[in-house]
Amino acid sequence: MSDQDGGQQGQLFSDAAVGAFSYDDVDSDTVGYRGPTACAAAGITYRQLDYWARTGLVAPSVRSATGSGTQRLYSFRDILVLKVVKRLLDTGVSLQNIRKAVDHLRTRGVKELSNITLLSDGATVYECTSAEEVVDLLAGGQGVFGIAVSGALRELSGELAELPAERLDGLPHADDELSQRRRRRAASA
């Protein structure tokens, strides 16, 4: 990298060029993940997931529970937000401040979230969308730790590739390995 680039880090290949997922493909209102899968991917307990859904911190956007026996379905974006909430809690941010941050993040699409870095001093959560904003916060002494949402997003996409997804219409999800195995077993029987 030369000094002529203005110190900006460039991207050698686009995600599509290296076979990575498309942000638009993973964020769907018709494909979701059940609670246990969301917990495993986000690194939280089912009790936390249930509490956060009941209190509206992170509610499932694909399908909410409508009574006994119904399964909540969480979208990719929901699980990404769950993962960010978990990281913020682990660093000591209060649930009240996390609620404010989640309210702000909730309106964003996955592609927009991938460009955000969250910084916090333990009391306040700051959203940064450029390297300059990160430097300004650190120079002002406000940032103590940061969460690059793009890193959590890439991590999550890898984890969810190994976990079962469910389509809202009940048909098997094309990327669901468990569904593929079931179809092969049924075809050979």
Side-chain angles (χ1 to χ4, degrees), residues 2-42:
S2 70
D3 291 336
Q4 297 169 351
D5 294 334
Q8 297 289 327
Q9 181 176 352
Q11 186 176 22
L12 188 56
F13 299 105
S14 70
D15 287 338
V18 293
F21 65 94
S22 163
Y23 295 124
D24 297 329
D25 293 342
V26 296
D27 192 31
S28 168
D29 290 337
T30 61
V31 176
Y33 301 88
R34 290 183 178 211
T37 302
C39 290

PDB file of all heavy atoms in Angstrom, residues 2-42:
ATOM      1  N   SER A   2       0.597   2.177  -0.820  1.00  0.00           N
ATOM      2  CA  SER A   2       1.428   3.373  -0.908  1.00  0.00           C
ATOM      3  C   SER A   2       0.837   4.510  -0.093  1.00  0.00           C
ATOM      4  O   SER A   2      -0.316   4.482   0.290  1.00  0.00           O
ATOM      5  CB  SER A   2       1.548   3.808  -2.371  1.00  0.00           C
ATOM      6  OG  SER A   2       0.310   4.313  -2.828  1.00  0.00           O
ATOM      7  N   ASP A   3       1.648   5.523   0.161  1.00  0.00           N
ATOM      8  CA  ASP A   3       1.182   6.701   0.896  1.00  0.00           C
ATOM      9  C   ASP A   3       0.168   7.482   0.073  1.00  0.00           C
ATOM     10  O   ASP A   3      -0.579   8.284   0.609  1.00  0.00           O
ATOM     11  CB  ASP A   3       2.364   7.607   1.256  1.00  0.00           C
ATOM     12  CG  ASP A   3       3.253   6.960   2.297  1.00  0.00           C
ATOM     13  OD1 ASP A   3       2.754   6.097   3.044  1.00  0.00           O
ATOM     14  OD2 ASP A   3       4.447   7.323   2.351  1.00  0.00           O
ATOM     15  N   GLN A   4       0.146   7.262  -1.235  1.00  0.00           N
ATOM     16  CA  GLN A   4      -0.788   7.983  -2.096  1.00  0.00           C
ATOM     17  C   GLN A   4      -2.228   7.574  -1.854  1.00  0.00           C
ATOM     18  O   GLN A   4      -3.149   8.261  -2.238  1.00  0.00           O
ATOM     19  CB  GLN A   4      -0.433   7.736  -3.563  1.00  0.00           C
ATOM     20  CG  GLN A   4       0.920   8.261  -3.930  1.00  0.00           C
ATOM     21  CD  GLN A   4       1.353   7.776  -5.318  1.00  0.00           C
ATOM     22  OE1 GLN A   4       0.712   6.929  -5.909  1.00  0.00           O
ATOM     23  NE2 GLN A   4       2.441   8.341  -5.807  1.00  0.00           N
ATOM     24  N   ASP A   5      -2.441   6.449  -1.213  1.00  0.00           N
ATOM     25  CA  ASP A   5      -3.793   5.973  -0.943  1.00  0.00           C
ATOM     26  C   ASP A   5      -4.449   6.732   0.203  1.00  0.00           C
ATOM     27  O   ASP A   5      -5.591   6.473   0.544  1.00  0.00           O
ATOM     28  CB  ASP A   5      -3.783   4.483  -0.594  1.00  0.00           C
ATOM     29  CG  ASP A   5      -3.365   3.622  -1.770  1.00  0.00           C
ATOM     30  OD1 ASP A   5      -3.561   4.065  -2.918  1.00  0.00           O
ATOM     31  OD2 ASP A   5      -2.847   2.518  -1.530  1.00  0.00           O
ATOM     32  N   GLY A   6      -3.738   7.640   0.826  1.00  0.00           N
ATOM     33  CA  GLY A   6      -4.309   8.425   1.919  1.00  0.00           C
ATOM     34  C   GLY A   6      -4.472   7.621   3.193  1.00  0.00           C
ATOM     35  O   GLY A   6      -5.266   7.960   4.053  1.00  0.00           O
ATOM     36  N   GLY A   7      -3.735   6.504   3.320  1.00  0.00           N
ATOM     37  CA  GLY A   7      -3.813   5.720   4.540  1.00  0.00           C
ATOM     38  C   GLY A   7      -5.044   4.832   4.620  1.00  0.00           C
ATOM     39  O   GLY A   7      -5.252   4.176   5.607  1.00  0.00           O
ATOM     40  N   GLN A   8      -5.849   4.797   3.578  1.00  0.00           N
ATOM     41  CA  GLN A   8      -7.046   3.957   3.582  1.00  0.00           C
ATOM     42  C   GLN A   8      -6.670   2.532   3.202  1.00  0.00           C
ATOM     43  O   GLN A   8      -5.874   2.315   2.306  1.00  0.00           O
ATOM     44  CB  GLN A   8      -8.078   4.488   2.571  1.00  0.00           C
ATOM     45  CG  GLN A   8      -8.601   5.869   2.884  1.00  0.00           C
ATOM     46  CD  GLN A   8      -9.512   5.868   4.080  1.00  0.00           C
ATOM     47  OE1 GLN A   8     -10.229   4.916   4.326  1.00  0.00           O
ATOM     48  NE2 GLN A   8      -9.473   6.935   4.844  1.00  0.00           N
ATOM     49  N   GLN A   9      -7.264   1.575   3.865  1.00  0.00           N
ATOM     50  CA  GLN A   9      -7.028   0.191   3.523  1.00  0.00           C
ATOM     51  C   GLN A   9      -7.971  -0.187   2.401  1.00  0.00           C
ATOM     52  O   GLN A   9      -9.171   0.027   2.482  1.00  0.00           O
ATOM     53  CB  GLN A   9      -7.273  -0.708   4.727  1.00  0.00           C
ATOM     54  CG  GLN A   9      -7.007  -2.159   4.420  1.00  0.00           C
ATOM     55  CD  GLN A   9      -7.156  -3.032   5.646  1.00  0.00           C
ATOM     56  OE1 GLN A   9      -7.313  -2.528   6.741  1.00  0.00           O
ATOM     57  NE2 GLN A   9      -7.122  -4.330   5.464  1.00  0.00           N
ATOM     58  N   GLY A  10      -7.440  -0.753   1.349  1.00  0.00           N
ATOM     59  CA  GLY A  10      -8.265  -1.158   0.215  1.00  0.00           C
ATOM     60  C   GLY A  10      -8.657  -2.616   0.313  1.00  0.00           C
ATOM     61  O   GLY A  10      -8.102  -3.384   1.088  1.00  0.00           O
ATOM     62  N   GLN A  11      -9.622  -2.991  -0.502  1.00  0.00           N
ATOM     63  CA  GLN A  11     -10.080  -4.359  -0.543  1.00  0.00           C
ATOM     64  C   GLN A  11      -9.533  -4.988  -1.811  1.00  0.00           C
ATOM     65  O   GLN A  11      -9.758  -4.488  -2.916  1.00  0.00           O
ATOM     66  CB  GLN A  11     -11.600  -4.400  -0.532  1.00  0.00           C
ATOM     67  CG  GLN A  11     -12.159  -5.790  -0.429  1.00  0.00           C
ATOM     68  CD  GLN A  11     -13.668  -5.767  -0.313  1.00  0.00           C
ATOM     69  OE1 GLN A  11     -14.323  -4.810  -0.695  1.00  0.00           O
ATOM     70  NE2 GLN A  11     -14.227  -6.831   0.214  1.00  0.00           N
ATOM     71  N   LEU A  12      -8.777  -6.082  -1.662  1.00  0.00           N
ATOM     72  CA  LEU A  12      -8.152  -6.727  -2.792  1.00  0.00           C
ATOM     73  C   LEU A  12      -9.184  -7.406  -3.694  1.00  0.00           C
ATOM     74  O   LEU A  12      -9.158  -7.272  -4.898  1.00  0.00           O
ATOM     75  CB  LEU A  12      -7.119  -7.742  -2.308  1.00  0.00           C
ATOM     76  CG  LEU A  12      -6.220  -8.396  -3.348  1.00  0.00           C
ATOM     77  CD1 LEU A  12      -5.484  -7.329  -4.149  1.00  0.00           C
ATOM     78  CD2 LEU A  12      -5.233  -9.319  -2.679  1.00  0.00           C
ATOM     79  N   PHE A  13     -10.112  -8.147  -3.097  1.00  0.00           N
ATOM     80  CA  PHE A  13     -11.171  -8.815  -3.841  1.00  0.00           C
ATOM     81  C   PHE A  13     -12.505  -8.498  -3.187  1.00  0.00           C
ATOM     82  O   PHE A  13     -12.582  -8.404  -1.973  1.00  0.00           O
ATOM     83  CB  PHE A  13     -10.994 -10.340  -3.815  1.00  0.00           C
ATOM     84  CG  PHE A  13      -9.708 -10.804  -4.422  1.00  0.00           C
ATOM     85  CD1 PHE A  13      -8.663 -11.233  -3.633  1.00  0.00           C
ATOM     86  CD2 PHE A  13      -9.543 -10.807  -5.800  1.00  0.00           C
ATOM     87  CE1 PHE A  13      -7.477 -11.660  -4.184  1.00  0.00           C
ATOM     88  CE2 PHE A  13      -8.358 -11.241  -6.360  1.00  0.00           C
ATOM     89  CZ  PHE A  13      -7.324 -11.661  -5.556  1.00  0.00           C
ATOM     90  N   SER A  14     -13.559  -8.389  -3.988  1.00  0.00           N
ATOM     91  CA  SER A  14     -14.887  -8.225  -3.408  1.00  0.00           C
ATOM     92  C   SER A  14     -15.294  -9.556  -2.811  1.00  0.00           C
ATOM     93  O   SER A  14     -14.761 -10.603  -3.158  1.00  0.00           O
ATOM     94  CB  SER A  14     -15.891  -7.805  -4.479  1.00  0.00           C
ATOM     95  OG  SER A  14     -16.124  -8.873  -5.366  1.00  0.00           O
ATOM     96  N   ASP A  15     -16.270  -9.535  -1.898  1.00  0.00           N
ATOM     97  CA  ASP A  15     -16.747 -10.770  -1.289  1.00  0.00           C
ATOM     98  C   ASP A  15     -17.241 -11.749  -2.343  1.00  0.00           C
ATOM     99  O   ASP A  15     -17.018 -12.940  -2.255  1.00  0.00           O
ATOM    100  CB  ASP A  15     -17.871 -10.478  -0.289  1.00  0.00           C
ATOM    101  CG  ASP A  15     -17.348  -9.830   0.981  1.00  0.00           C
ATOM    102  OD1 ASP A  15     -16.146  -9.978   1.264  1.00  0.00           O
ATOM    103  OD2 ASP A  15     -18.143  -9.192   1.682  1.00  0.00           O
ATOM    104  N   ALA A  16     -17.934 -11.237  -3.365  1.00  0.00           N
ATOM    105  CA  ALA A  16     -18.475 -12.106  -4.413  1.00  0.00           C
ATOM    106  C   ALA A  16     -17.359 -12.789  -5.191  1.00  0.00           C
ATOM    107  O   ALA A  16     -17.495 -13.939  -5.607  1.00  0.00           O
ATOM    108  CB  ALA A  16     -19.359 -11.303  -5.354  1.00  0.00           C
ATOM    109  N   ALA A  17     -16.236 -12.110  -5.364  1.00  0.00           N
ATOM    110  CA  ALA A  17     -15.135 -12.656  -6.154  1.00  0.00           C
ATOM    111  C   ALA A  17     -14.484 -13.853  -5.476  1.00  0.00           C
ATOM    112  O   ALA A  17     -13.912 -14.702  -6.135  1.00  0.00           O
ATOM    113  CB  ALA A  17     -14.083 -11.574  -6.410  1.00  0.00           C
ATOM    114  N   VAL A  18     -14.550 -13.931  -4.164  1.00  0.00           N
ATOM    115  CA  VAL A  18     -13.926 -15.039  -3.451  1.00  0.00           C
ATOM    116  C   VAL A  18     -14.949 -16.063  -2.978  1.00  0.00           C
ATOM    117  O   VAL A  18     -14.664 -16.907  -2.160  1.00  0.00           O
ATOM    118  CB  VAL A  18     -13.070 -14.537  -2.256  1.00  0.00           C
ATOM    119  CG1 VAL A  18     -11.882 -13.757  -2.752  1.00  0.00           C
ATOM    120  CG2 VAL A  18     -13.893 -13.733  -1.286  1.00  0.00           C
ATOM    121  N   GLY A  19     -16.171 -15.972  -3.490  1.00  0.00           N
ATOM    122  CA  GLY A  19     -17.190 -16.965  -3.173  1.00  0.00           C
ATOM    123  C   GLY A  19     -17.866 -16.768  -1.834  1.00  0.00           C
ATOM    124  O   GLY A  19     -18.503 -17.674  -1.319  1.00  0.00           O
ATOM    125  N   ALA A  20     -17.734 -15.604  -1.236  1.00  0.00           N
ATOM    126  CA  ALA A  20     -18.387 -15.347   0.044  1.00  0.00           C
ATOM    127  C   ALA A  20     -19.870 -15.090  -0.177  1.00  0.00           C
ATOM    128  O   ALA A  20     -20.309 -14.811  -1.279  1.00  0.00           O
ATOM    129  CB  ALA A  20     -17.735 -14.142   0.726  1.00  0.00           C
ATOM    130  N   PHE A  21     -20.625 -15.164   0.896  1.00  0.00           N
ATOM    131  CA  PHE A  21     -22.067 -14.959   0.812  1.00  0.00           C
ATOM    132  C   PHE A  21     -22.387 -13.518   0.440  1.00  0.00           C
ATOM    133  O   PHE A  21     -21.597 -12.624   0.648  1.00  0.00           O
ATOM    134  CB  PHE A  21     -22.721 -15.300   2.156  1.00  0.00           C
ATOM    135  CG  PHE A  21     -22.294 -14.369   3.259  1.00  0.00           C
ATOM    136  CD1 PHE A  21     -23.040 -13.262   3.569  1.00  0.00           C
ATOM    137  CD2 PHE A  21     -21.124 -14.597   3.960  1.00  0.00           C
ATOM    138  CE1 PHE A  21     -22.634 -12.392   4.563  1.00  0.00           C
ATOM    139  CE2 PHE A  21     -20.715 -13.726   4.953  1.00  0.00           C
ATOM    140  CZ  PHE A  21     -21.470 -12.630   5.258  1.00  0.00           C
ATOM    141  N   SER A  22     -23.551 -13.333  -0.110  1.00  0.00           N
ATOM    142  CA  SER A  22     -24.048 -11.993  -0.392  1.00  0.00           C
ATOM    143  C   SER A  22     -24.871 -11.543   0.805  1.00  0.00           C
ATOM    144  O   SER A  22     -25.693 -12.303   1.304  1.00  0.00           O
ATOM    145  CB  SER A  22     -24.914 -12.020  -1.654  1.00  0.00           C
ATOM    146  OG  SER A  22     -25.700 -10.859  -1.721  1.00  0.00           O
ATOM    147  N   TYR A  23     -24.659 -10.332   1.262  1.00  0.00           N
ATOM    148  CA  TYR A  23     -25.401  -9.838   2.422  1.00  0.00           C
ATOM    149  C   TYR A  23     -26.897  -9.863   2.170  1.00  0.00           C
ATOM    150  O   TYR A  23     -27.678 -10.100   3.064  1.00  0.00           O
ATOM    151  CB  TYR A  23     -24.966  -8.420   2.770  1.00  0.00           C
ATOM    152  CG  TYR A  23     -23.529  -8.329   3.218  1.00  0.00           C
ATOM    153  CD1 TYR A  23     -22.631  -7.493   2.574  1.00  0.00           C
ATOM    154  CD2 TYR A  23     -23.077  -9.090   4.275  1.00  0.00           C
ATOM    155  CE1 TYR A  23     -21.307  -7.424   2.978  1.00  0.00           C
ATOM    156  CE2 TYR A  23     -21.762  -9.028   4.675  1.00  0.00           C
ATOM    157  CZ  TYR A  23     -20.884  -8.192   4.033  1.00  0.00           C
ATOM    158  OH  TYR A  23     -19.589  -8.131   4.436  1.00  0.00           O
ATOM    159  N   ASP A  24     -27.310  -9.639   0.928  1.00  0.00           N
ATOM    160  CA  ASP A  24     -28.728  -9.646   0.607  1.00  0.00           C
ATOM    161  C   ASP A  24     -29.310 -11.049   0.704  1.00  0.00           C
ATOM    162  O   ASP A  24     -30.480 -11.217   1.011  1.00  0.00           O
ATOM    163  CB  ASP A  24     -28.961  -9.082  -0.793  1.00  0.00           C
ATOM    164  CG  ASP A  24     -28.522  -7.632  -0.894  1.00  0.00           C
ATOM    165  OD1 ASP A  24     -28.602  -6.911   0.114  1.00  0.00           O
ATOM    166  OD2 ASP A  24     -28.092  -7.223  -1.990  1.00  0.00           O
ATOM    167  N   ASP A  25     -28.511 -12.079   0.425  1.00  0.00           N
ATOM    168  CA  ASP A  25     -29.002 -13.449   0.455  1.00  0.00           C
ATOM    169  C   ASP A  25     -29.232 -13.959   1.867  1.00  0.00           C
ATOM    170  O   ASP A  25     -30.115 -14.778   2.091  1.00  0.00           O
ATOM    171  CB  ASP A  25     -28.015 -14.394  -0.237  1.00  0.00           C
ATOM    172  CG  ASP A  25     -27.914 -14.136  -1.731  1.00  0.00           C
ATOM    173  OD1 ASP A  25     -28.829 -13.495  -2.289  1.00  0.00           O
ATOM    174  OD2 ASP A  25     -26.912 -14.564  -2.328  1.00  0.00           O
ATOM    175  N   VAL A  26     -28.433 -13.527   2.827  1.00  0.00           N
ATOM    176  CA  VAL A  26     -28.544 -14.070   4.176  1.00  0.00           C
ATOM    177  C   VAL A  26     -29.646 -13.403   4.985  1.00  0.00           C
ATOM    178  O   VAL A  26     -30.095 -13.953   5.970  1.00  0.00           O
ATOM    179  CB  VAL A  26     -27.211 -13.957   4.955  1.00  0.00           C
ATOM    180  CG1 VAL A  26     -26.135 -14.785   4.306  1.00  0.00           C
ATOM    181  CG2 VAL A  26     -26.777 -12.524   5.130  1.00  0.00           C
ATOM    182  N   ASP A  27     -30.077 -12.237   4.584  1.00  0.00           N
ATOM    183  CA  ASP A  27     -31.089 -11.514   5.342  1.00  0.00           C
ATOM    184  C   ASP A  27     -32.430 -11.652   4.634  1.00  0.00           C
ATOM    185  O   ASP A  27     -32.740 -10.906   3.724  1.00  0.00           O
ATOM    186  CB  ASP A  27     -30.698 -10.041   5.479  1.00  0.00           C
ATOM    187  CG  ASP A  27     -31.573  -9.323   6.491  1.00  0.00           C
ATOM    188  OD1 ASP A  27     -32.023  -9.984   7.447  1.00  0.00           O
ATOM    189  OD2 ASP A  27     -31.800  -8.124   6.315  1.00  0.00           O
ATOM    190  N   SER A  28     -33.206 -12.624   5.056  1.00  0.00           N
ATOM    191  CA  SER A  28     -34.458 -12.924   4.390  1.00  0.00           C
ATOM    192  C   SER A  28     -35.582 -12.986   5.410  1.00  0.00           C
ATOM    193  O   SER A  28     -35.389 -13.421   6.541  1.00  0.00           O
ATOM    194  CB  SER A  28     -34.326 -14.271   3.674  1.00  0.00           C
ATOM    195  OG  SER A  28     -35.565 -14.734   3.262  1.00  0.00           O
ATOM    196  N   ASP A  29     -36.766 -12.575   4.992  1.00  0.00           N
ATOM    197  CA  ASP A  29     -37.929 -12.661   5.867  1.00  0.00           C
ATOM    198  C   ASP A  29     -38.597 -14.024   5.772  1.00  0.00           C
ATOM    199  O   ASP A  29     -39.568 -14.280   6.467  1.00  0.00           O
ATOM    200  CB  ASP A  29     -38.947 -11.569   5.508  1.00  0.00           C
ATOM    201  CG  ASP A  29     -38.444 -10.180   5.886  1.00  0.00           C
ATOM    202  OD1 ASP A  29     -37.583 -10.085   6.775  1.00  0.00           O
ATOM    203  OD2 ASP A  29     -38.924  -9.206   5.283  1.00  0.00           O
ATOM    204  N   THR A  30     -38.111 -14.894   4.892  1.00  0.00           N
ATOM    205  CA  THR A  30     -38.728 -16.200   4.715  1.00  0.00           C
ATOM    206  C   THR A  30     -37.893 -17.339   5.278  1.00  0.00           C
ATOM    207  O   THR A  30     -38.371 -18.466   5.359  1.00  0.00           O
ATOM    208  CB  THR A  30     -39.010 -16.479   3.223  1.00  0.00           C
ATOM    209  OG1 THR A  30     -37.769 -16.471   2.520  1.00  0.00           O
ATOM    210  CG2 THR A  30     -39.956 -15.447   2.644  1.00  0.00           C
ATOM    211  N   VAL A  31     -36.647 -17.076   5.656  1.00  0.00           N
ATOM    212  CA  VAL A  31     -35.778 -18.099   6.229  1.00  0.00           C
ATOM    213  C   VAL A  31     -35.380 -17.653   7.624  1.00  0.00           C
ATOM    214  O   VAL A  31     -34.956 -16.517   7.823  1.00  0.00           O
ATOM    215  CB  VAL A  31     -34.515 -18.316   5.362  1.00  0.00           C
ATOM    216  CG1 VAL A  31     -33.581 -19.319   6.022  1.00  0.00           C
ATOM    217  CG2 VAL A  31     -34.897 -18.778   3.974  1.00  0.00           C
ATOM    218  N   GLY A  32     -35.546 -18.558   8.580  1.00  0.00           N
ATOM    219  CA  GLY A  32     -35.205 -18.214   9.953  1.00  0.00           C
ATOM    220  C   GLY A  32     -34.559 -19.378  10.667  1.00  0.00           C
ATOM    221  O   GLY A  32     -34.446 -20.487  10.134  1.00  0.00           O
ATOM    222  N   TYR A  33     -34.147 -19.107  11.870  1.00  0.00           N
ATOM    223  CA  TYR A  33     -33.459 -20.087  12.696  1.00  0.00           C
ATOM    224  C   TYR A  33     -34.195 -20.182  14.026  1.00  0.00           C
ATOM    225  O   TYR A  33     -34.558 -19.163  14.616  1.00  0.00           O
ATOM    226  CB  TYR A  33     -32.001 -19.659  12.921  1.00  0.00           C
ATOM    227  CG  TYR A  33     -31.247 -19.503  11.623  1.00  0.00           C
ATOM    228  CD1 TYR A  33     -31.260 -18.291  10.926  1.00  0.00           C
ATOM    229  CD2 TYR A  33     -30.557 -20.569  11.077  1.00  0.00           C
ATOM    230  CE1 TYR A  33     -30.591 -18.159   9.722  1.00  0.00           C
ATOM    231  CE2 TYR A  33     -29.880 -20.437   9.870  1.00  0.00           C
ATOM    232  CZ  TYR A  33     -29.908 -19.240   9.207  1.00  0.00           C
ATOM    233  OH  TYR A  33     -29.249 -19.107   8.007  1.00  0.00           O
ATOM    234  N   ARG A  34     -34.413 -21.401  14.489  1.00  0.00           N
ATOM    235  CA  ARG A  34     -35.104 -21.624  15.756  1.00  0.00           C
ATOM    236  C   ARG A  34     -34.243 -21.141  16.922  1.00  0.00           C
ATOM    237  O   ARG A  34     -33.048 -20.932  16.786  1.00  0.00           O
ATOM    238  CB  ARG A  34     -35.427 -23.101  15.925  1.00  0.00           C
ATOM    239  CG  ARG A  34     -36.500 -23.557  14.966  1.00  0.00           C
ATOM    240  CD  ARG A  34     -36.841 -25.000  15.206  1.00  0.00           C
ATOM    241  NE  ARG A  34     -37.902 -25.401  14.308  1.00  0.00           N
ATOM    242  CZ  ARG A  34     -38.810 -26.315  14.595  1.00  0.00           C
ATOM    243  NH1 ARG A  34     -38.765 -26.930  15.763  1.00  0.00           N
ATOM    244  NH2 ARG A  34     -39.745 -26.609  13.734  1.00  0.00           N
ATOM    245  N   GLY A  35     -34.894 -21.015  18.071  1.00  0.00           N
ATOM    246  CA  GLY A  35     -34.227 -20.505  19.265  1.00  0.00           C
ATOM    247  C   GLY A  35     -32.918 -21.183  19.612  1.00  0.00           C
ATOM    248  O   GLY A  35     -31.907 -20.503  19.816  1.00  0.00           O
ATOM    249  N   PRO A  36     -32.886 -22.515  19.708  1.00  0.00           N
ATOM    250  CA  PRO A  36     -31.619 -23.172  20.057  1.00  0.00           C
ATOM    251  C   PRO A  36     -30.495 -22.875  19.060  1.00  0.00           C
ATOM    252  O   PRO A  36     -29.337 -22.722  19.446  1.00  0.00           O
ATOM    253  CB  PRO A  36     -31.983 -24.665  20.062  1.00  0.00           C
ATOM    254  CG  PRO A  36     -33.447 -24.677  20.381  1.00  0.00           C
ATOM    255  CD  PRO A  36     -34.008 -23.465  19.682  1.00  0.00           C
ATOM    256  N   THR A  37     -30.841 -22.774  17.788  1.00  0.00           N
ATOM    257  CA  THR A  37     -29.838 -22.457  16.766  1.00  0.00           C
ATOM    258  C   THR A  37     -29.352 -21.021  16.950  1.00  0.00           C
ATOM    259  O   THR A  37     -28.149 -20.744  16.874  1.00  0.00           O
ATOM    260  CB  THR A  37     -30.425 -22.651  15.353  1.00  0.00           C
ATOM    261  OG1 THR A  37     -30.863 -23.996  15.226  1.00  0.00           O
ATOM    262  CG2 THR A  37     -29.401 -22.337  14.286  1.00  0.00           C
ATOM    263  N   ALA A  38     -30.280 -20.098  17.210  1.00  0.00           N
ATOM    264  CA  ALA A  38     -29.918 -18.701  17.442  1.00  0.00           C
ATOM    265  C   ALA A  38     -29.007 -18.585  18.666  1.00  0.00           C
ATOM    266  O   ALA A  38     -28.026 -17.834  18.647  1.00  0.00           O
ATOM    267  CB  ALA A  38     -31.173 -17.848  17.626  1.00  0.00           C
ATOM    268  N   CYS A  39     -29.317 -19.342  19.721  1.00  0.00           N
ATOM    269  CA  CYS A  39     -28.487 -19.323  20.933  1.00  0.00           C
ATOM    270  C   CYS A  39     -27.069 -19.807  20.646  1.00  0.00           C
ATOM    271  O   CYS A  39     -26.099 -19.185  21.076  1.00  0.00           O
ATOM    272  CB  CYS A  39     -29.108 -20.209  22.011  1.00  0.00           C
ATOM    273  SG  CYS A  39     -30.627 -19.581  22.710  1.00  0.00           S
ATOM    274  N   ALA A  40     -26.979 -20.922  19.925  1.00  0.00           N
ATOM    275  CA  ALA A  40     -25.661 -21.483  19.612  1.00  0.00           C
ATOM    276  C   ALA A  40     -24.837 -20.503  18.785  1.00  0.00           C
ATOM    277  O   ALA A  40     -23.638 -20.315  19.035  1.00  0.00           O
ATOM    278  CB  ALA A  40     -25.819 -22.811  18.871  1.00  0.00           C
ATOM    279  N   ALA A  41     -25.459 -19.874  17.802  1.00  0.00           N
ATOM    280  CA  ALA A  41     -24.735 -18.952  16.920  1.00  0.00           C
ATOM    281  C   ALA A  41     -24.346 -17.666  17.632  1.00  0.00           C
ATOM    282  O   ALA A  41     -23.280 -17.108  17.373  1.00  0.00           O
ATOM    283  CB  ALA A  41     -25.579 -18.640  15.692  1.00  0.00           C
ATOM    284  N   ALA A  42     -25.195 -17.179  18.533  1.00  0.00           N
ATOM    285  CA  ALA A  42     -24.925 -15.910  19.210  1.00  0.00           C
ATOM    286  C   ALA A  42     -24.112 -16.092  20.496  1.00  0.00           C
ATOM    287  O   ALA A  42     -23.608 -15.119  21.052  1.00  0.00           O
ATOM    288  CB  ALA A  42     -26.236 -15.197  19.531  1.00  0.00           C
TER     289      ALA A  42
END
